[in-house]
């Protein structure tokens, strides 16, 4: 927790004065540490990051932030999600729902995958039954593979990027790279040919004529009823 707090503080220090920050932690519960506030307002608050409740409501938390918090906030929005990618206990949302919601939301998602696989042998050593231990080991390896693909897809579908950390000491540097990239983004808008029907997927391809530049943008979007009625989509 101390390393995670240090990484969070490093990220906050890199934000610009006009940025607003919504902080959410999750274990067996979703913990809204603060609603969207400016840095000045954030510094007046004393926030605690405690691990109390067993579980990892990853899918529920991503769905909650996308649909119940960020949806009502105008302007450019980004999510920085730090997790090992393994869900344990979500009931309100699923992996597929998260990916669908991410495609419909006007939000860029950066994922920071913290590798907890080295901790697996220690966890398994606490299981005395050999058959049960092998079952848990097989399940966890499968879950880690699912989690890696999930975090990769969240980033790719929204025009973000995935970072992989084998040590928590690597996280502050990754947060720095994310804040730097957020400060160098462009917003492009267009009107599609033909009216997009609600639920229809539209592909996007962004190119540059300048050589040696790397373009990172979402590859598609899913039209919503509101966007379709307006005749355009960002």
């Amino acid at each position: 927790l101390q390393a995670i707090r240090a990484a969070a503080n490093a990220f906050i220090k890199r934000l610009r004065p006009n940025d607003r920050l919504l902080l959410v932690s999750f274990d067996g519960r979703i913990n809204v540490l603060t609603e969207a506030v400016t840095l000045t307002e954030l510094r007046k608050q004393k926030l605690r990051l405690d691990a109390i409740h067993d579980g990892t409501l990853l899918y529920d938390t991503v769905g909650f932030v996308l649909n119940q918090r960020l949806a009502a906030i105008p302007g450019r929005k980004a999510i920085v999600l730090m997790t090992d990618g393994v869900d344990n206990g979500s009931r309100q949302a699923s992996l597929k729902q998260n990916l669908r919601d991410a495609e419909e939301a006007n939000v860029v998602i950066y994922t920071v995958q913290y590798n907890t696989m080295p901790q697996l042998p220690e966890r398994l050593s606490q299981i005395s039954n050999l058959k049960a231990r092998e079952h848990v080991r097989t399940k966890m390896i499968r879950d880690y593979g699912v989690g890696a693909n999930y975090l990769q897809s969240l980033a790719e579908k929204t025009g973000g990027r995935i970072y992989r950390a084998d040590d928590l000491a690597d996280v502050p540097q990754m947060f720095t790279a994310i804040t730097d990239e957020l400060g160098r983004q462009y917003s492009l808008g267009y009107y599609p040919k033909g009216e997009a029907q609600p639920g229809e997927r539209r592909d996007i391809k962004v190119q540059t004529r300048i050589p040696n530049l790397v373009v990172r943008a979402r590859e598609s979007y899913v039209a919503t009823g509101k966007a379709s009625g307006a005749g355009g989509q960002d």
Side-chain angles (χ1 to χ4, degrees):
L1 284 177
Q2 184 177 357
I4 294 174
R5 291 189 191 100
N9 285 327
F11 178 80
I12 291 171
K13 290 178 181 178
R14 301 280 302 184
L15 296 177
R16 297 170 298 187
N18 292 332
D19 290 337
R20 288 195 297 162
L21 193 66
L22 167 71
L23 289 174
V24 178
S25 68
F26 57 95
D27 40 39
R29 294 183 179 180
I30 300 175
N31 312 299
V32 179
L33 303 180
T34 177
E35 298 291 350
V37 294
T38 64
L39 291 182
T40 300
E41 294 169 327
L42 183 64
R43 292 189 177 105
K44 295 178 182 178
Q45 303 181 30
K46 293 183 178 181
L47 307 178
R48 293 186 59 84
L49 184 61
D50 297 323
I52 300 175
H53 304 96
D54 189 34
T56 309
L57 303 186
L58 173 58
Y59 302 152
D60 281 356
T61 303
V62 172
F64 168 77
V65 172
L66 281 172
N67 299 317
Q68 299 187 37
R69 284 301 187 269
L70 293 188
I73 299 176
R76 290 178 54 204
K77 292 166 286 190
I79 291 176
V80 179
L81 174 63
M82 178 179 166
T83 174
D84 63 2
V86 178
D87 180 271
N88 179 19
S90 287
R91 296 180 181 274
Q92 305 301 318
S94 66
L95 183 154
K96 290 183 178 180
Q97 287 175 322
N98 280 176
L99 296 180
R100 175 76 178 191
D101 290 342
E103 286 188 297
E104 294 182 354
N106 188 22
V107 179
V108 181
I109 301 180
Y110 293 88
T111 55
V112 178
Q113 183 180 27
Y114 171 48
N115 183 17
T116 57
M117 278 291 286
Q119 302 170 15
L120 184 56
E122 180 181 353
R123 298 181 186 179
L124 294 175
S125 66
Q126 301 174 13
I127 304 175
S128 57
N129 185 287
L130 294 181
K131 187 175 181 179
R133 183 189 304 175
E134 180 61 22
H135 174 75
V136 172
R137 187 187 73 85
T138 301
K139 180 180 183 302
M140 290 303 298
I141 291 176
R142 182 180 68 247
D143 288 347
Y144 278 116
V146 171
N149 291 332
Y150 165 74
L151 296 178
Q152 179 82 39
S153 296
L154 275 180
E156 289 181 349
K157 288 179 179 296
T158 62
R161 187 175 179 183
I162 184 172
Y163 294 83
R164 294 183 172 89
D166 291 324
D167 192 299
L168 284 176
D170 300 330
V171 175
Q173 181 178 356
M174 296 176 181
F175 280 173
T176 297
I178 291 172
T179 53
D180 286 346
E181 185 165 312
L182 286 172
R184 296 188 177 96
Q185 287 186 339
Y186 293 88
S187 295
L188 303 177
Y190 72 97
Y191 288 96
K193 295 181 179 178
E195 184 177 359
Q197 300 300 316
E200 179 184 353
R201 183 187 304 276
R202 290 290 183 94
D203 294 330
I204 302 173
K205 189 171 184 179
V206 181
Q207 296 177 310
T208 175
R209 297 177 180 176
I210 304 176
N212 302 322
L213 291 182
V214 176
V215 175
R216 195 157 42 243
R218 63 166 60 213
E219 298 178 349
S220 65
Y221 69 88
V222 176
T224 62
K226 181 178 180 181
S228 176
Q233 171 75 38
D234 288 339

